[in-house]
Amino acid sequence: MDEKMPQSLSTDDYQTSPSGNRRTVREIVEAEIFIRQSNSQLFRATLSDLSVAGFRMTSYTHLDRKKPVFIRLPGIQTLSADIKWVDHEEYGCEFANELHPAVLEHLVVRLREFG
């Protein structure tokens, strides 16, 4: 019987599989980003994960769940997202328009390099 040993993943290779009501794979990243809501200034937040459908971030600035969030990521235009859930300072957001998988891959590489 020829069995292959499972390979361990480094943190750079780590992905969270879709589960429950999650539709897409989340890429774990740890990066400082800039966000804003309408009629507000840019402020910093920490991005925790990213997928083609959305992202999770930590923000110590209170965000209004009813207003869209505008997120600036390196190398692409500002993206709009809706806040779908809040847990203290953590926010789960869904992009207004999903990212192309190649754009997601590019962003993950950039964010991990400069995060």
Side-chain angles (χ1 to χ4, degrees):
M1 205 156 70
D2 187 64
E3 291 184 31
K4 292 184 178 180
M5 296 295 291
Q7 295 180 351
S8 62
L9 298 176
S10 72
T11 55
D12 287 340
D13 296 325
Y14 182 77
Q15 294 181 343
T16 302
S17 300
S19 62
N21 62 356
R22 189 167 308 282
R23 303 177 286 137
T24 59
V25 173
R26 294 180 296 156
E27 295 284 348
I28 304 302
V29 294
E30 192 70 31
E32 223 175 69
I33 58 170
F34 290 97
I35 61 171
R36 71 174 180 82
Q37 288 192 297
S38 59
N39 301 326
S40 75
Q41 297 179 30
L42 280 176
F43 53 91
R44 292 178 193 261
T46 303
L47 191 66
S48 304
D49 68 44
L50 185 65
S51 75
V52 294
F55 57 95
R56 180 170 45 123
M57 69 177 173
T58 302
S59 172
Y60 298 109
T61 301
H62 173 73
L63 300 173
D64 184 345
R65 264 187 96 154
K66 297 174 187 166
K67 292 182 181 179
V69 173
F70 300 95
I71 178 173
R72 288 182 45 187
L73 296 171
I76 65 170
Q77 66 189 18
T78 300
L79 301 171
S80 175
D82 293 320
I83 298 171
K84 294 299 182 178
W85 58 264
V86 178
D87 185 13
H88 303 286
E89 291 91 16
E90 283 200 318
Y91 294 83
C93 301
E94 180 179 49
F95 290 123
N97 298 302
E98 285 193 1
L99 299 177
H100 186 279
V103 172
L104 174 65
E105 184 178 328
H106 170 76
L107 284 171
V108 168
V109 168
R110 296 271 318 259
L111 290 166
R112 287 180 179 161
E113 284 176 356
F114 302 109

